[in-house]
Amino acid sequence: MPLIVVDRLVPAQAMCLADELLVNLPQRWSHTAGVARRAADLAAAVDPADRDLLLCAAWLHDIGYAAAARDTGFHALDGARLLRRRGWPVRLCALVAHHSGASFLAAAQGVVGMAEFDDERTAVTDALTCADQTTGVRGEPVFLEDRLAEVLRRHGPSSPHAAAAAGREPYLRSAAGRVQARLLAAATA
């Protein structure tokens, strides 16, 4: 695949790439589209200059599940590396690498390479995390606590998700809380 340098973030381009890569993963595509819808709902929680970045990250956050992205087997890192190879902005790649507390899961799985990408932990990170963690596997809106419980049921008590839960779940709850506070502040401003 030739390098294509993306110099301007356009959510429609991100959507097209996600569609192309996830065509054989219909449930993952449904989840991704739901996350993008939810991110649009949460966009007021980020600076207007970062809203397209948030939407692009929402569309691209799970492309690492695609066969074309497989490298380490850890979808967040694989997706970020694929985006970097294709010339997408470094900040977007980093958001994909670290979405939804991926560093907690990487540590639980012994995945190396996460340090290739900065974990910025900003309002954009929080909004992406909140969008992902309040969208179910079929793209439906869910409550955060229900999503956390579903993930543990689906992956099991001996999974990396279970091993990472003690650190990851408080992080996810905090991110969602910060998003809600920012939305409230934006609504009252």
Side-chain angles (χ1 to χ4, degrees), residues 4-80:
I4 300 169
V5 177
V6 178
D7 58 0
R8 193 168 145 259
L9 289 171
V10 178
Q13 288 176 332
M15 180 188 73
C16 288
L17 179 57
D19 183 43
E20 170 193 325
L21 292 170
L22 300 175
V23 67
N24 294 322
L25 300 168
Q27 187 167 313
R28 184 63 51 196
W29 169 252
S30 295
H31 168 74
T32 296
V35 171
R37 284 190 302 273
R38 183 73 174 125
D41 293 343
L42 301 174
V46 303
D47 186 285
D50 284 336
R51 290 180 182 164
D52 282 347
L53 174 64
L54 170 62
L55 295 175
C56 288
W59 279 113
L60 299 170
H61 80 284
D62 273 353
I63 62 165
Y65 285 110
R70 292 269 159 85
D71 183 20
T72 67
F74 187 67
H75 85 278
L77 183 57
D78 291 351

Side-chain angles (χ1 to χ4, degrees), residues 98-124:
H98 291 283
H99 78 273
S100 294
S103 58
F104 293 99
L105 292 171
Q109 291 180 18
V111 172
V112 296
M114 295 297 285
E116 293 174 28
F117 300 97
D118 291 336
D119 187 358
E120 67 177 60
R121 299 209 179 187
T122 63
V124 178

